[in-house]
Amino acid sequence: MEADEVTIREQNFHSQVREYTICFLLFAVLYIVSYFIITRYKRKADEQEDEDAIVNRISLFLSTFTLAVSAGAVLLLPFSIISNEILLSFPQNYYIQWLNGSLIHGLWNLASLFSNLCLFVLMPFAFFFLESEGFAGLKKGIRARILETLVMLILLALLILGIVWVASALIDNDAASMESLYDLWEFYLPYLYSCISLMGCLLLLLCTPVGLSRMFTVMGQLLVKPTILEDLDEQMYIITLEEEAIQRRLNGISSTVEYQTVELERELEKVKSKKTNLERRKKASAWERNLVYPAVMILLLTETSISVLLVALNILYLLVDETAMPKGSGGPGIGNASLSTFGFVGAALEIILIFYLMVSSVVGFYSLRFFENFTPRKDDTTMTKIIGNCVSILVLSSALPVMSRTLGITRFDLLGDFGRFNWLGNFYIVLSYNLLFAIMTTLCLVRKFTSAVREELLKALGLDKLHLSNNPRDSETKPSANGHQKTL
């Protein structure tokens, strides 16, 4: 009997060591990839060999850690879905014994823990540490900056604690809820993270419909469009003449007229960019022009339509079935039953849609006017802006599993602290979220595909000069090199 207990303890110990090793290896890969991504955008001028260099290096490591956690949160739901299908297909396979429900639950718990750690500790510390200079009267150095950062963190924690305590007292004013706020670890932090998750889902609700419509424009810029009724040679000839005319004007202008020189240099860069695009279109093969572009556009339209259709079906399920709620639906467990109607094919489709929604949400986030100046640039992004981008990506990625389950993109139950959010059990909030997503996505797509028709109607009615359209193509009419108006 004692030998059996020892054997069981050894098996548990080895399984825990194996799970931690797998988690460490996965996170190491994500950390390395995140480091290369951040160093690609980080401004090279920030690299000094002094005290500021040490502070920048510490902030860089913390930002890399946060971005790796964000990537892990994005991969969390797809990895769980594909693991469930693999365990169903090969239940007795020796080589996948490491893939089990304990590992999946551990990954969800670690993702929740590290998300809280990055959001409430590491990123505020990195920001305050980067902006700190040390208190007046103290000796300048790393210790003084750390002391100032810790004081700022304590003050920020007290401020957030007071705001959440007052908000909870206003919303739910009873003795039980008031006493539970004193339990910092069991109630306060999960409650605060639930509020952050709700804000992230609302941000996704705003960004994702915009990104779904914006994806067509982005892919249109990356791919080569078909040349239908276009003469690329004539366009190349015109753009070359315009480039030569602007270059002659630059050579003839005195260096003292700085304003005109800057304007002409900007116009010359735009003309060179157009020329590069025309050269790329001219060198592209017929297969790339006439097959790849239409196929990608059809694929994007299909994925968007399927997403809206799944949301519409989920709205019907919410009205007739209580188990469609994202909270309180006890699932069969990992590896016991397929959560998709179409089995492995349906699970693959769910994974594709989840990644598509995440990419669309990021594209939509940087397409919003409020966050346009927030977009990172290659080799020209300050550490402060990198920290802000890492926090934004972390909020979006942490809310992605919740949004996917709330919209009915997948039926995989939220594990760990992700499934304990209070607002997930509110029927009206979940139903309103689904309705708003379907309506906003449909309106954005209608506006996107009818923009050309609206422009032609405005021109036919003579209202095009009133700038009723927000399309940036309306403002592409610029003075040419000879002073006349020309539109390419």
Side-chain angles (χ1 to χ4, degrees):
M1 191 68 180
E2 293 180 358
D4 294 338
E5 292 180 356
V6 172
T7 304
I8 293 174
R9 285 199 298 268
E10 289 180 354
Q11 290 178 354
N12 293 333
F13 174 76
H14 289 305
S15 63
Q16 290 181 359
V17 171
R18 182 173 63 247
E19 291 172 7
Y20 287 135
T21 304
I22 294 172
C23 293
F24 176 77
L25 292 177
L26 292 176
F27 185 79
V29 173
L30 295 177
Y31 188 90
I32 294 172
V33 174
S34 302
Y35 179 80
F36 282 112
I37 292 175
I38 291 182
T39 52
R40 177 181 176 84
Y41 289 98
K42 182 178 178 293
R43 180 179 292 178
K44 303 303 181 183
D46 289 343
E47 299 177 358
Q48 305 96 3
E49 292 299 331
D50 53 4
E51 177 184 321
D52 291 334
I54 300 176
V55 174
N56 279 329
R57 197 172 296 114
I58 294 174
S59 300
L60 174 63
F61 291 152
L62 295 179
S63 301
T64 306
F65 184 87
T66 304
L67 188 60
V69 172
S70 304
V74 172
L75 297 173
L76 196 60
L77 193 56
F79 181 78
S80 302
I81 294 173
I82 196 66
S83 300
N84 183 65
E85 297 300 325
I86 290 176
L87 290 175
L88 278 175
S89 302
F90 310 99
Q92 303 298 331
N93 195 318
Y94 174 77
Y95 296 101
I96 60 170
Q97 292 299 316
W98 58 272
L99 192 62
N100 49 39
S102 177
L103 175 64
I104 304 301
H105 282 82
L107 289 174
W108 281 78
N109 291 328
L110 288 176
S112 176
L113 175 63
F114 286 152
S115 297
N116 282 282
L117 180 65
C118 295
L119 196 59
F120 299 125
V121 179
L122 298 185
M123 285 294 93
F125 179 86
F127 176 76
F128 290 130
F129 191 48
L130 194 66
E131 299 295 329
S132 63
E133 296 179 356
F135 291 113
L138 296 178
K139 183 180 178 180
K140 300 297 182 181
I142 297 295
R143 292 184 178 180
R145 299 181 73 162
I146 293 177
L147 179 60
E148 181 185 352
T149 303
L150 293 177
V151 172
M152 293 298 296
L153 284 177
I154 293 173
L155 294 176
L156 179 63
L158 292 176
L159 177 62
I160 296 177
L161 176 63
I163 293 175
V164 174
W165 200 85
V166 172
S168 177
L170 293 175
I171 296 174
D172 193 7
N173 189 11
D174 59 345
S177 62
M178 299 293 289
E179 291 179 1
S180 59
L181 274 177
Y182 293 106
D183 193 348
L184 183 65
W185 185 259
E186 293 295 332
F187 181 83
Y188 175 74
L189 287 179
Y191 179 79
L192 184 59
Y193 189 59
S194 176
C195 297
I196 298 296
S197 174
L198 179 59
M199 294 174 58
C201 288
L202 293 178
L203 184 60
L204 282 175
L205 180 63
L206 181 64
C207 299
T208 308
V210 177
L212 289 174
S213 61
R214 179 69 178 166
M215 283 292 291
F216 294 91
T217 304
V218 173
M219 296 306 297
Q221 295 172 353
L222 296 176
L223 300 176
V224 179
K225 298 181 180 180
T227 55
I228 302 175
L229 301 178
E230 286 186 284
D231 191 350
L232 296 180
D233 294 329
E234 182 180 357
Q235 294 184 23
M236 282 290 299
Y237 178 73
I238 294 174
I239 206 74
T240 303
L241 291 179
E242 188 171 356
E243 181 184 6
E244 293 175 354
I246 296 175
Q247 192 66 50
R248 286 196 298 269
R249 289 182 63 187
L250 273 174
N251 296 333
I253 290 180
S254 174
S255 59
T256 58
V257 188
E258 183 178 356
Y259 176 75
Q260 294 184 5
T261 304
V262 172
E263 290 294 327
L264 286 176
E265 286 179 352
R266 290 178 180 176
E267 191 173 351
L268 182 61
E269 289 296 327
K270 293 180 180 179
V271 171
K272 287 183 177 180
S273 177
K274 292 180 180 179
K275 185 178 180 181
T276 303
N277 292 333
L278 285 176
E279 290 176 350
R280 180 168 175 264
R281 293 182 63 187
K282 191 174 180 180
K283 292 178 181 179
S285 62
W287 288 97
E288 184 179 359
R289 289 196 305 265
N290 302 324
L291 183 62
V292 176
Y293 182 83
V296 171
M297 291 295 120
I298 293 174
L299 180 62
L300 291 179
L301 184 60
T302 304
E303 291 180 345
T304 307
S305 303
I306 292 175
S307 301
V308 177
L309 180 61
L310 289 176
V311 174
L313 292 175
N314 189 56
I315 293 174
L316 296 177
Y317 289 147
L318 287 172
L319 295 175
V320 299
D321 190 1
E322 294 182 356
T323 59
M325 291 290 292
K327 184 179 182 180
S329 55
I334 305 296
N336 294 327
S338 179
L339 300 175
S340 176
T341 307
F342 300 100
F344 194 85
V345 177
L349 179 61
E350 291 177 359
I351 293 173
I352 293 173
L353 291 178
I354 290 171
F355 283 123
Y356 180 59
L357 290 178
M358 184 59 197
V359 174
S360 300
S361 64
V362 174
V363 172
F365 176 79
Y366 290 115
S367 299
L368 297 177
R369 293 183 179 181
F370 186 75
F371 300 107
E372 280 183 352
N373 297 327
F374 215 52
T375 307
R377 298 179 180 179
K378 183 182 177 182
D379 297 332
D380 192 27
T381 307
T382 61
M383 274 306 305
T384 305
K385 188 176 288 187
I386 287 176
I387 291 173
N389 279 276
C390 289
V391 172
S392 303
I393 297 298
L394 178 62
V395 172
L396 292 176
S397 60
S398 299
L400 178 67
V402 183
M403 186 194 73
S404 302
R405 182 64 182 91
T406 305
L407 295 178
I409 303 298
T410 179
R411 295 294 172 186
F412 191 90
D413 289 331
L414 300 173
L415 305 177
D417 291 334
F418 288 92
R420 299 174 186 172
F421 300 147
N422 296 328
W423 61 271
L424 290 176
N426 193 313
F427 172 77
Y428 298 102
I429 293 179
V430 175
L431 181 63
S432 302
Y433 193 89
N434 282 263
L435 288 172
L436 286 174
F437 183 87
I439 293 173
M440 291 176 63
T441 304
T442 304
L443 290 178
C444 289
L445 292 177
V446 170
R447 184 178 181 274
K448 170 68 179 177
F449 290 112
T450 59
S451 59
V453 178
R454 285 187 284 107
E455 289 178 13
E456 294 300 328
L457 287 176
L458 291 176
K459 290 180 181 179
L461 297 175
L463 301 176
D464 55 321
K465 297 181 180 180
L466 297 179
H467 301 286
L468 297 177
S469 175
N470 294 326
N471 197 325
R473 289 181 297 176
D474 297 339
S475 58
E476 287 187 359
T477 302
K478 306 181 182 65
S480 64
N482 56 8
H484 300 290
Q485 297 290 331
K486 180 188 293 184
T487 303
L488 292 179

